[in-house]
Amino acid sequence: MRLLRARVLGHFAVNNSGWFSCSPELTLIVGAAGAGKSTVLRALRSINPPFFEPEPTPFADYPRMVEQGGRQRRVIASKKTAVVTVFACDEPLRAELARIDPVFLETERIEIGRRLDGSRWLTFVEIASSSRWSEVDADMSRLREALGGAGIAEIDEGFAFCATLLPTDRIKGATAARLDRLLSRLDRVAAAADLRGLIARIRHAVSRAERFGKARRLVLRHLPVMLFLRADSLLQTVLDPQGLRGQPPALGEWARPGGDLLFLDLLGIRPGQARWNKAAAGEDHLDRLCDRLTSLLREWLPHRRLRLAARRLQGQVEFAVEGNGNPPVPLDRLPAHLRWLITCAVGVLWSEGRRGGPVVFLLDEPDAGCSEAEAGELSAALPALCDTGHQCVLATTRVSAVREGGRGYLLANEDGGQGSTMHPLSA
């Protein structure tokens, strides 16, 4: 699945960004400090955060009241959508969906959103997820004429319920369950083959919502992880799993070491576990992970010839990086943009080892504090990252040229309006 476009709304900083398209590779969101860049990235993160972010609520500080038609109205978090995303349905996913129902062969776009209370919704664009009563009313009338006089109370009550339904009523939830019970009972008393075929056709329409529920669960298993990274979430020089044990991520303002937790997960360790998984975290496994990370870094930065090394020491992992004949240095002594790329490489490796699917990297000002040369090196490396099948949405204060195949947007609050909006940047 690939992120095609998104929209963020319902926040002080970004009241309505408008729809913005996402490149298959790098998408830039440019704006001054306070324009709402981080707000956009956090909203996108909530669509499918990684395992160490169990709290999906997009915004903790959304407006509690809004003005509509000159009147103040309370915002109902369970009804207010905060972020909407549209993903492309790729061929492997479409084939799996078609095994649930052939109608999904028509699926091209899947829309997914989060409400302010954290609840998530998913729709298949231009495909109804449930049948209407009007689609089965005529067939049910035929059954009522043929089997309604059987004198069975359960059947009579079922047909009485059908008489209360309107043509536009959706067949889902309790309505679908009640109709299915009626049809099951009718199937047991129907003798004629044509009636049994009619019942099977109606049951297929009635169970449409159930099949779409299965399809939604399948899509969510294929949904890319939205990995939000900022300066305080980069892989650190020393990993201490005991120091992370039992510490849940902070709610609201996220300040967890994302790169650390991704790497520890590759070693078979998650917060809350009491000890190392020795089979997964042995020296050989650690060396293989570092070799793979080194390979990625050399693809992205071939001129630097970086090599990542790690060692186990007293229950911890310590990292060092060397390159072009220079002696090893700890990660925290590297230029910031290189630490960003190393952490992104950990994300790529984690997606390959744990999920087998893509990641949408949400990078919050990775070029902050970089020199022009370092920012240029970062910009040159990110398309190579995207060549591994992932996407990047990068927030920055630098108005730089959009690379071929990429997209850029300016996030700004114009004319004293309520919140910032997106405007395309010229390539």
Side-chain angles (χ1 to χ4, degrees):
M1 295 179 68
R2 179 168 65 82
L3 179 62
L4 296 177
R5 60 178 188 156
R7 179 186 178 192
V8 177
L9 59 163
H11 191 266
F12 293 106
V14 184
N15 183 53
N16 187 348
S17 70
W19 285 104
F20 59 95
S21 298
C22 297
S23 167
E25 298 179 348
L26 180 62
T27 302
L28 295 178
I29 299 177
V30 182
K37 301 185 299 298
S38 297
T39 297
V40 172
L41 296 186
R42 290 191 188 97
L44 292 175
R45 172 191 65 186
S46 72
I47 291 296
N48 193 34
F51 69 89
F52 52 83
E53 295 181 53
E55 176 55 51
T57 305
F59 307 126
D61 56 347
Y62 63 87
R64 265 49 179 185
M65 302 293 293
V66 295
E67 184 172 333
Q68 293 181 345
R71 298 179 60 184
Q72 290 286 321
R73 295 184 181 273
R74 184 168 62 90
V75 175
I76 301 175
S78 61
K79 296 182 178 181
K80 178 67 173 178
T81 293
V83 55
V84 185
T85 53
V86 179
F87 289 86
C89 181
D90 54 34
E91 288 301 328
L93 175 57
R94 185 179 292 107
E96 287 191 57
L97 288 169
R99 287 195 284 271
I100 297 174
D101 191 321
V103 71
F104 291 112
L105 290 172
E106 303 172 15
T107 300
E108 294 185 358
R109 303 287 184 267
I110 299 171
E111 195 170 69
I112 303 171
R114 281 275 189 195
R115 302 179 185 91
L116 288 171
D117 68 345
S119 58
R120 180 166 53 188
W121 56 263
L122 186 157
T123 61
F124 297 88
V125 177
E126 297 184 354
I127 300 180
S129 60
S130 60
S131 304
R132 293 188 186 275
W133 176 246
S134 59
E135 298 175 47
V136 300
D137 190 7
D139 287 339
M140 289 297 295
S141 295
R142 287 182 57 193
L143 288 180
R144 184 168 57 247
E145 293 172 2
L147 304 171
I152 301 174
E154 183 181 357
I155 291 178
D156 293 340
E157 292 173 1
F159 281 127
F161 170 70
C162 292
T164 68
L165 297 175
L166 300 175
T168 56
D169 285 347
R170 287 289 181 185
I171 303 176
K172 58 183 180 179
T175 298
R178 191 162 182 177
L179 290 174
D180 187 66
R181 289 195 297 270
L182 171 61
L183 291 165
S184 296
R185 191 70 178 88
L186 291 171
D187 195 45
R188 291 196 293 271
V189 301
D194 61 331
L195 289 180
R196 296 177 73 88
L198 180 61
I199 291 170
R201 185 169 73 235
I202 299 172
R203 293 189 79 173
H204 182 77
V206 167
S207 64
R208 183 182 179 98
E210 180 183 354
R211 294 194 300 278
F212 269 70
K214 293 179 181 178
R216 289 188 183 95
R217 292 190 289 274
L218 175 62
V219 168
L220 293 178
R221 292 198 296 272
H222 283 257
L223 189 62
V225 167
M226 314 296 278
L227 182 57
F228 175 67
L229 295 174
R230 65 184 194 188
D232 61 1
S233 62
L234 304 182
L235 186 68
Q236 300 180 48
T237 297
V238 178
L239 296 189
D240 180 7
Q242 295 298 321
L244 294 173
R245 181 162 53 90
Q247 297 182 20
L251 301 184
E253 184 70 12
W254 180 65
R256 295 297 298 151
D260 292 3
L261 294 177
L262 290 178
F263 197 91
L264 288 174
D265 191 47
L266 287 170
L267 295 175
I269 303 164
R270 289 196 178 191
Q273 292 181 332
R275 60 182 182 275
W276 290 84
N277 180 331
K278 293 183 180 179
E283 293 291 348
D284 290 344
H285 182 62
L286 186 60
D287 289 343
R288 287 194 296 271
L289 291 177
C290 288
D291 287 345
R292 177 64 179 128
L293 291 171
T294 295
S295 177
L296 285 173
L297 292 172
R298 291 186 173 182
E299 291 176 16
W300 302 350
L301 299 165
H303 61 289
R304 280 190 175 266
R305 306 296 296 169
L306 296 177
R307 178 180 179 275
L308 182 68
R311 61 173 181 163
R312 288 274 302 278
L313 181 65
Q314 297 178 349
Q316 300 177 349
V317 176
E318 294 185 359
F319 293 102
V321 176
E322 61 185 20
N324 295 335
N326 297 321
V329 297
L331 292 186
D332 56 15
R333 289 177 55 189
L334 287 175
H337 74 292
L338 296 182
R339 289 188 63 204
W340 276 92
L341 290 172
I342 290 171
T343 303
C344 289
V346 170
V348 170
L349 196 60
W350 174 77
S351 73
E352 294 174 353
R354 288 296 184 186
R355 301 190 69 256
V359 169
V360 178
F361 288 90
L362 308 171
L363 309 182
D364 197 3
E365 298 195 39
D367 54 355
C370 292
S371 68
E372 289 299 326
E374 291 170 343
E377 188 172 49
L378 177 69
S379 178
L382 288 177
L385 184 161
C386 297
D387 286 343
T388 58
H390 307 280
Q391 291 176 267
C392 282
V393 181
L394 185 151
T396 178
T397 59
R398 300 171 186 253
V399 181
S400 54
V402 181
R403 288 180 169 270
E404 183 178 354
R407 292 189 175 92
Y409 295 88
L410 178 66
L411 184 65
N413 188 336
E414 296 182 347
D415 303 324
Q418 188 178 26
S420 298
T421 55
M422 294 275 202
H423 304 278
L425 284 172
S426 300

